[in-house]
């Protein structure tokens, strides 16, 4: 049920093409975008999605020499990446207002030509499960796909007729996958955090693009999980060889202490943080002692005045 710390939704839209439309989504706290996340997204995901997973074992992705398993390239083409900040009701310690998180994410991504920020999840009155957010964005992708198809058919009737004939032979629909870090997979075994049916739908229907971190071995965890190994064909493992282990927690801590974070996050984001005094000792204590909303929902007998 939980939301990963950096969920990203990747979806690609492709019209009258043999390639499968593919997009990614990242959702989660999104306190601000550290350059490590932006670098990982930019360097590896577009290429990772342009290949086909290995026929056996989790699809392995090597960013350095651009080899992905044993399958031929060309199955996916990345069209868009969506960053979806979580609602304030998620209850994570130190989670600042969604208004600030959305604004900072937009500033960090203002030079990106394929990742955008979508505020829908953050604007919900209650916390929304990851699987429901994926459904929402997938339905939006389908609507956009159909609208584009209708527009092309009306503007170029002869051309679209030939295209429709081809598409009947090889129909192409957009796909949406959840982008996450390797540590996100570990949360699947956290008691009461996820519903098993949600995990099945996320991994089985949508799929994951998982970026590994230093010291992590997501392939081993996949093999040790009966559920994940069942859908390992739908999990793309991306390795970022240029490691950047600076965490969002470390940056927030530095900001609260008045230390410089220049070159760690975009200057525009730093200016916004200073102008609005976003990260303070008080903001770090927000939701302190509270359970995350997914855990709270799984434990309805908890007294909210005592947690």
């Amino acid at each position: 049920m939980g939301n990963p710390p950096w969920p990203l939704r990747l979806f690609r839209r492709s019209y009258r093409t043999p390639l499968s439309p593919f997009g990614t989504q990242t959702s989660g706290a999104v306190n601000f975008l550290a350059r490590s996340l932006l670098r990982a997204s930019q360097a590896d995901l577009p290429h990772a999605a342009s290949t086909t997973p290995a026929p056996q074992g989790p699809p392995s992705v090597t960013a350095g020499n651009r080899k992905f398993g044993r399958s031929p390239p060309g199955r996916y083409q990345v069209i868009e990446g969506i960053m979806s900040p979580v609602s304030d009701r998620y209850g994570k310690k130190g989670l600042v207002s969604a208004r600030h998180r959305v604004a900072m994410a937009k500033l960090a991504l203002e030079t990106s030509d394929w990742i955008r920020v979508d505020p829908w999840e953050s604007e919900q009155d209650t916390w929304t499960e990851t699987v429901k957010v994926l459904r929402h964005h997938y339905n939006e992708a389908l609507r956009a796909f159909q609208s584009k198809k209708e527009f092309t058919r009306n503007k170029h009737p002869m051309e679209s007729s030939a295209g429709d004939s081809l598409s009947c032979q090889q129909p192409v629909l957009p796909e949406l996958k959840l982008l996450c870090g390797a540590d996100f997979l570990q949360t699947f075994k956290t008691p009461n955090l996820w519903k098993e049916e949600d995990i099945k739908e996320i991994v089985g229907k949508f799929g994951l693009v998982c970026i590994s971190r230093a010291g992590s071995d997501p392939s081993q965890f996949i093999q040790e999980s009966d559920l994940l190994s069942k859908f390992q064909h739908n999990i793309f493992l991306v390795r970022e060889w240029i490691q950047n282990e600076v965490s969002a927690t470390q940056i927030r801590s530095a900001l609260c202490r008045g230390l410089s974070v220049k070159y760690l996050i975009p200057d525009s984001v730093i200016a916004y943080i200073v102008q609005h005094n976003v990260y303070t000792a008080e903001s770090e204590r927000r939701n302190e002692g509270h359970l995350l909303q997914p855990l709270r929902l799984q434990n309805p007998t908890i007294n909210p005045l005592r947690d």
Side-chain angles (χ1 to χ4, degrees), residues 51-267:
T51 64
T52 303
Q56 295 180 348
S60 177
V61 177
T62 301
N65 57 19
R66 301 305 187 189
K67 292 182 178 178
F68 295 75
R70 297 181 295 279
S71 301
R75 176 177 174 182
Y76 294 112
Q77 174 191 357
V78 176
I79 294 300
E80 184 177 26
I82 307 172
M83 180 155 290
S84 178
V86 75
S87 165
D88 289 342
R89 298 300 298 274
Y90 184 47
K92 183 178 181 180
K93 182 180 180 296
L95 187 65
V96 300
S97 168
R99 174 174 64 89
H100 292 314
R101 288 182 284 115
V102 169
M104 290 186 290
K106 288 182 177 179
L107 287 171
L109 294 170
E110 59 188 355
T111 60
S112 175
D113 59 358
W114 71 282
I115 307 175
R116 66 178 175 86
V117 181
D118 192 298
W120 179 85
E121 181 181 358
S122 68
E123 293 171 348
Q124 303 309 299
D125 294 333
T126 60
W127 166 75
T128 307
E129 292 95 326
T130 298
V131 69
K132 292 181 179 179
V133 182
L134 284 166
R135 292 171 192 163
H136 165 79
H137 286 293
Y138 182 67
N139 289 334
E140 290 294 305
L142 285 179
R143 276 192 285 269
F145 177 82
Q146 293 299 333
S147 296
K148 178 68 174 181
K149 194 173 182 180
E150 289 297 326
F151 175 80
T152 302
R153 181 182 292 114
N154 294 333
K155 188 174 183 180
H156 305 288
M158 297 300 294
E159 180 181 345
S160 63
S161 176
D164 288 344
S165 175
L166 177 62
S167 64
C168 289
Q169 302 173 7
Q170 193 171 12
V172 177
L173 291 175
E175 293 185 26
L176 176 69
K177 298 190 183 297
L178 181 67
L179 170 66
C180 63
D183 53 349
F184 169 66
L185 295 179
Q186 301 284 341
T187 69
F188 283 153
K189 65 180 181 181
T190 302
N192 299 321
L193 186 61
W194 294 89
K195 294 178 181 177
E196 184 172 337
E197 59 266 30
D198 286 359
I199 299 177
K200 288 181 180 178
E201 183 173 350
I202 290 171
V203 183
K205 178 181 177 180
F206 295 104
L208 300 176
V209 176
C210 180
I211 302 175
S212 65
R213 297 178 179 178
S216 65
D217 186 4
S219 60
Q220 179 180 347
F221 181 74
I222 292 170
Q223 294 300 324
E224 293 173 350
S225 168
D226 292 338
L227 183 57
L228 294 181
S229 60
K230 179 181 178 180
F231 299 108
Q232 60 186 359
H233 64 281
N234 212 20
I235 304 175
F236 293 78
L237 301 183
V238 181
R239 178 171 296 279
E240 171 59 271
W241 290 104
I242 304 176
Q243 296 292 338
N244 185 340
E245 297 303 313
V246 178
S247 70
T249 300
Q250 291 172 323
I251 294 178
R252 289 200 312 272
S253 178
L255 287 167
C256 290
R257 297 177 183 180
L259 302 177
S260 173
V261 293
K262 190 172 179 62
Y263 308 121
L264 296 177
I265 58 178
D267 288 345

